[in-house]
Amino acid sequence: MSQPQKKIGDTLLKVEDISLSFGGVKAISGVSFEIKEQEILAIIGPNGAGKSSMLNVINGFYHPQEGTITYKGEARHQMRPHNAAKQGIARTFQNIALFKGMSTLDNIMTGRLLKMRRNFLWQALYWGPALKEELAHRERVEQIIDFLEIQAIRKTQVGRLPYGLQKRVELGRALAAEPDLLLLDEPMAGMNVEEKEDMCRFVLDVNDEFGTTIALIEHDMGVVMDISDRVVVLDYGRKIADGSPDEVRGNKNVIDAYLGVSHD
Amino acid sequence: MLYREAGQFKSSYGADQAVFPIAQDRWFIAAAAVFAFVVVPLIADDYWLQAILIPLLVYALAALGLNVLTGYAGQLSLGTGGFMAVGAYMSYKITTAFPELNIIVVFLFSGLFSAAVGIVFGLPSLRIKGFYLAVATLAAQFFLIWLFNKVGWFYNYNPSGTIDAPPRAMLGVLITGAEAQPEVKYLTALSLLSVFALLTKNLVRSSVGRAWMAIRDMDIAAEIIGIRPLRTKLLAFAISSFICGVAGAELFALHFGSVETLAFDINLSFLILFMVIIGGLGSILGSILGAAFMVLMPIALTNLFVGGLGMQAVTAKHTEFMVFGGLIIFFLIVEPHGLARLWQIAKEKLRLWPFPY
Ligand SMILES: Nc1ncnc2c1ncn2[C@@H]1O[C@H](COP(=O)(O)OP(=O)(O)O)[C@@H](O)[C@H]1O
Ligand SMILES: [Mg+2]
């Protein structure tokens, strides 16, 4: 499905020699790769390879001990979550991290928080500029709700939704920020075939229609081969391959890693 | 009354965003307002107004304040009594220093002092959560009470150690002091509660409120969306303490008339917390229902036990404690959204009536 003539642009994000450890545990060791504008990059690798940690480094939730992160041309040693959000990085989580007590609508509205300007005094009045702003954002959120086909659960408290729908709402919340870089941590894990197909379609459409750059972690090789432009493979915190889906599929290191050949 | 959502289609998001999007809700609220503002002052006697309804309204305001912090922003606080004491003592200081100042303005300024104190004691919330934060707010409670006891300046060195509400009028009508009419005090408390309930409702359905709930439900995700935890929590502390401060000033000036720090001790903190739990965490209506329940239930129980069953007053009191304890446990375990949720379920049943499926 990936279209070779897609307009993949310059480097949006570059991580260089990132190392991250927790106490004695090395989660990432000297990993470098790039994400180019408009690209769909898949990060794959066995459990515990450091994939989620890598996303956490990119949006500033983990701070690597070594390395540089260059985002939109600006190099820094580490990101801060708030700055990452402000500069257009949004994400979903491996274990859904929705606001369980809030409705679908409110969860997605929260995703637009950084775009809302009125202070609390205006909001307490719910009038004039504050109301206008609220309605304008509501309209954008309704477009996302239509896009993800979740109109029926608009007012439902998300804690009561089935897993697959929660994943969809979480994607909606990330999309609400209108990100330049979207990080998806196992967006299709635990889904049935039909739900996976829907999610693939959403990911491709987001990439296509809004030109959003996407980095996603995924275990289903069929999905990875279908939707990604490029694949980075991690194993034991190291990068063992980086290339087009076809290149990676034939790579010996990758085959070994997945077959569990012992490391020395 | 037929309570229906069916058939009421909203043609715009504006209509859907109204405070009460359902027509029957609007009628109900209008009827309740007429009843509270017009009928009650006409039919209630002084005892009902002074001993029951005024404290009910004041406690409801305090519960509203605590609900902002605990119910919406998820920060457990046991310092409510302390923050209310700040409001009470500052209103006393301000109104004795500036007797000409409108008493409502005095209440609001007292709220500002309380908000400032709330911010200071909210600072630890960046680092500590849940039980530990509750202990930190407990420290605020004890410190503030100690302060108002210890430093004579706060009670103008009154030898009795109490503060007394001086008579203050607005538009020629006495609002505070012994001479003020109970009806006037009642309407003042009711007006303030209505205004604050509406403003708070607006806040919690705006982005500030969503940021509070986001921090409450999943602080990591909130941060990654771009919510600043400290700023968001401190705003919750400030607004919550502001409202509690105004409630404290009212408790002093409208209800008791003369108080010492004992009125604001830890028991008050717990009382307000129980109101929020029983009424419903994260519900404006719940704050009011909780206060009403906690004020009216003991009276009803006493009437039932002593009047109806001929029980001894002491036994009745003990039974009352047991009933309360049981209810708090019930609401904590079975229905954390409290009376407000029960009310909502009842409405949902009605909404579908007569076709339950
Ligand atoms: N917050 C943390 N504290 C301690 N160890 C962690 C933490 N997060 C990840 N790790 C460790 O880092 C390694 C990589 O984990 P992770 O990035 O979640 O892997 P993946 O997403 O590829 O399955 C694992 O050994 C994991 O135990
Ligand atoms: Mg992972």
Side-chain angles (χ1 to χ4, degrees):
Chain A
M1 252 192 279
S2 66
Q3 300 130 343
Q5 50 292 70
K6 206 168 73 174
K7 38 197 181 324
I8 288 178
D10 299 335
T11 302
L12 178 65
L13 177 111
K14 185 157 83 177
V15 292
E16 287 168 287
D17 287 321
I18 297 290
S19 292
L20 171 77
S21 49
F22 301 98
V25 183
K26 261 213 159 216
I28 304 176
S29 326
V31 170
S32 310
F33 62 86
E34 297 185 2
I35 308 176
K36 297 197 185 300
E37 275 169 16
Q38 296 242 17
E39 164 174 71
I40 298 183
L41 173 80
I43 301 174
I44 65 170
N47 270 328
K51 307 180 297 294
S52 296
S53 301
M54 196 66 227
L55 292 197
N56 282 327
V57 164
I58 293 174
N59 77 345
F61 194 64
Y62 288 167
H63 296 149
Q65 281 79 19
E66 281 163 50
T68 325
I69 304 159
T70 311
Y71 178 63
K72 290 184 176 173
E74 193 186 332
R76 40 168 99 62
H77 173 55
Q78 59 184 38
M79 299 289 283
R80 298 243 159 231
H82 183 259
N83 286 334
K86 235 160 101 176
Q87 295 190 45
I89 303 180
R91 74 171 289 182
T92 65
F93 295 81
Q94 183 172 351
N95 311 306
I96 302 171
L98 283 169
F99 308 127
K100 291 234 157 53
M102 298 161 72
S103 67
T104 298
L105 183 63
D106 278 342
N107 266 276
I108 303 178
M109 283 294 278
T110 310
R112 295 191 68 78
L113 199 113
L114 278 179
K115 300 189 180 303
M116 304 193 70
R117 294 269 85 93
R118 296 296 145 204
N119 68 24
F120 74 96
L121 293 172
W122 274 113
Q123 294 186 11
L125 297 177
Y126 210 78
W127 176 78
L131 182 58
K132 217 175 117 194
E133 181 175 56
E134 181 83 9
L135 290 178
H137 287 285
R138 170 81 190 265
E139 216 165 306
R140 293 286 296 121
V141 165
E142 288 292 342
Q143 286 167 6
I144 292 169
I145 288 177
D146 287 344
F147 172 74
L148 294 175
E149 297 156 18
I150 46 177
Q151 296 90 339
I153 54 162
R154 197 188 264 115
K155 297 277 173 85
T156 312
Q157 194 185 328
V158 297
R160 298 195 222 160
L161 293 173
Y163 183 81
L165 279 179
Q166 291 198 9
K167 284 254 172 199
R168 219 184 265 197
V169 175
E170 206 189 14
L171 175 63
R173 187 180 67 188
L175 290 178
E178 297 174 25
D180 299 319
L181 175 59
L182 179 60
L183 311 172
L184 305 174
D185 197 342
E186 306 203 9
M188 294 157 224
M191 286 188 169
N192 62 33
V193 177
E194 202 176 314
E195 289 172 323
K196 273 189 188 177
E197 277 170 5
D198 282 337
M199 192 52 98
C200 282
R201 182 161 53 83
F202 295 137
V203 170
L204 287 170
D205 283 352
V206 168
N207 178 248
D208 234 35
E209 286 177 30
F210 313 127
T212 310
T213 310
I214 298 173
L216 65 91
I217 297 173
E218 184 47 55
H219 281 298
D220 185 325
M221 278 305 169
V223 168
V224 171
M225 296 300 148
D226 261 2
I227 69 173
S228 53
D229 299 306
R230 211 155 48 80
V231 182
V232 164
V233 190
L234 300 182
D235 188 26
Y236 286 94
R238 293 175 194 283
K239 186 171 92 172
I240 57 168
D242 185 344
S244 74
D246 286 332
E247 286 164 16
V248 163
R249 186 159 40 185
N251 185 304
K252 183 170 177 310
N253 289 339
V254 177
I255 296 167
D256 286 354
Y258 273 88
L259 293 178
V261 169
S262 69
H263 293 248
D264 4 56
Chain B
M1 186 176 80
L2 283 183
Y3 185 92
R4 291 291 181 75
E5 193 168 24
Q8 297 181 24
F9 296 107
K10 287 125 199 156
S11 52
S12 72
Y13 300 132
D16 192 37
Q17 307 267 81
V19 199
F20 304 108
I22 301 165
Q24 281 85 347
D25 268 346
R26 285 197 292 275
W27 284 111
F28 179 80
I29 290 290
V34 169
F35 180 77
F37 277 97
V38 181
V39 179
V40 169
L42 290 175
I43 60 169
D45 60 18
D46 282 6
Y47 170 76
W48 261 86
L49 288 171
Q50 251 161 347
I52 299 168
L53 295 176
I54 292 172
L56 190 161
L57 294 170
V58 174
Y59 289 142
L61 186 62
L64 180 73
L66 180 62
N67 221 332
V68 165
L69 187 61
T70 304
Y72 286 97
Q75 312 296 305
L76 183 55
S77 166
L78 293 176
T80 315
F83 299 135
M84 291 174 76
V86 175
Y89 278 78
M90 288 323 291
S91 70
Y92 175 70
K93 287 303 291 184
I94 296 171
T95 199
T96 48
F98 306 99
E100 299 305 315
L101 198 59
N102 182 310
I103 190 72
I104 301 298
V105 176
V106 171
F107 286 174
L108 299 180
F109 270 112
S110 325
L112 287 181
F113 279 97
S114 186
V117 173
I119 289 175
V120 172
F121 286 102
L123 282 170
S125 69
L126 181 65
R127 293 255 167 252
I128 54 178
K129 291 178 195 170
F131 174 72
Y132 297 97
L133 180 64
V135 172
T137 56
L138 197 59
Q141 167 75 38
F142 286 118
F143 169 75
L144 290 167
I145 297 305
W146 172 84
L147 184 74
F148 294 129
N149 255 331
K150 194 82 188 162
V151 182
W153 180 81
F154 285 111
Y155 47 91
N156 287 355
Y157 306 100
N158 186 345
S160 69
T162 62
I163 54 174
D164 303 302
R168 294 285 179 263
M170 193 166 96
L171 306 171
V173 183
L174 270 180
I175 293 189
T176 62
E179 306 290 303
Q181 294 298 311
E183 286 84 358
V184 176
K185 292 179 176 175
Y186 165 83
L187 286 173
T188 307
L190 181 63
S191 307
L192 282 168
L193 175 64
S194 309
V195 169
F196 277 112
L198 190 62
L199 294 178
T200 309
K201 177 76 191 171
N202 287 342
L203 271 184
V204 298
R205 62 201 182 111
S206 300
S207 67
V208 167
R210 288 191 290 266
W212 287 339
M213 292 184 272
I215 288 279
R216 172 196 71 189
D217 285 352
M218 185 65 74
D219 51 358
I220 294 170
E223 210 177 330
I224 274 159
I225 280 173
I227 294 170
R228 291 170 184 272
L230 183 62
R231 203 190 268 190
T232 306
K233 288 177 190 172
L234 289 187
L235 186 62
F237 266 97
I239 291 176
S240 165
S241 316
F242 179 86
I243 298 174
C244 288
V246 173
E250 285 186 45
L251 192 65
F252 153 61
L254 296 179
H255 178 47
F256 288 123
S258 168
V259 289
E260 48 184 322
T261 50
L262 197 63
F264 299 99
D265 69 0
I266 182 72
N267 289 320
L268 181 61
S269 296
F270 278 116
L271 178 69
I272 306 294
L273 182 63
F274 292 158
M275 288 172 176
V276 170
I277 292 171
I278 288 181
L281 287 158
S283 162
I284 306 287
L285 178 67
S287 314
I288 299 165
L289 293 180
F293 187 86
M294 291 291 279
V295 171
L296 298 176
M297 198 56 172
I299 299 168
L301 287 181
T302 309
N303 280 343
L304 177 70
F305 292 151
V306 182
L309 305 175
M311 212 184 264
Q312 293 232 313
V314 185
T315 326
K317 197 80 204 156
H318 287 151
T319 319
E320 196 183 300
F321 277 128
M322 280 160 57
V323 170
F324 269 133
L327 279 170
I328 286 162
I329 291 168
F330 169 81
F331 279 114
L332 276 177
I333 294 172
V334 182
E335 189 47 83
H337 299 291
L339 292 169
R341 176 79 189 131
L342 297 182
W343 168 247
Q344 199 186 346
I345 292 171
K347 279 205 316 191
E348 270 163 22
K349 293 252 156 74
L350 259 179
R351 185 174 295 190
L352 298 170
W353 188 86
F355 310 109
Y357 297 109

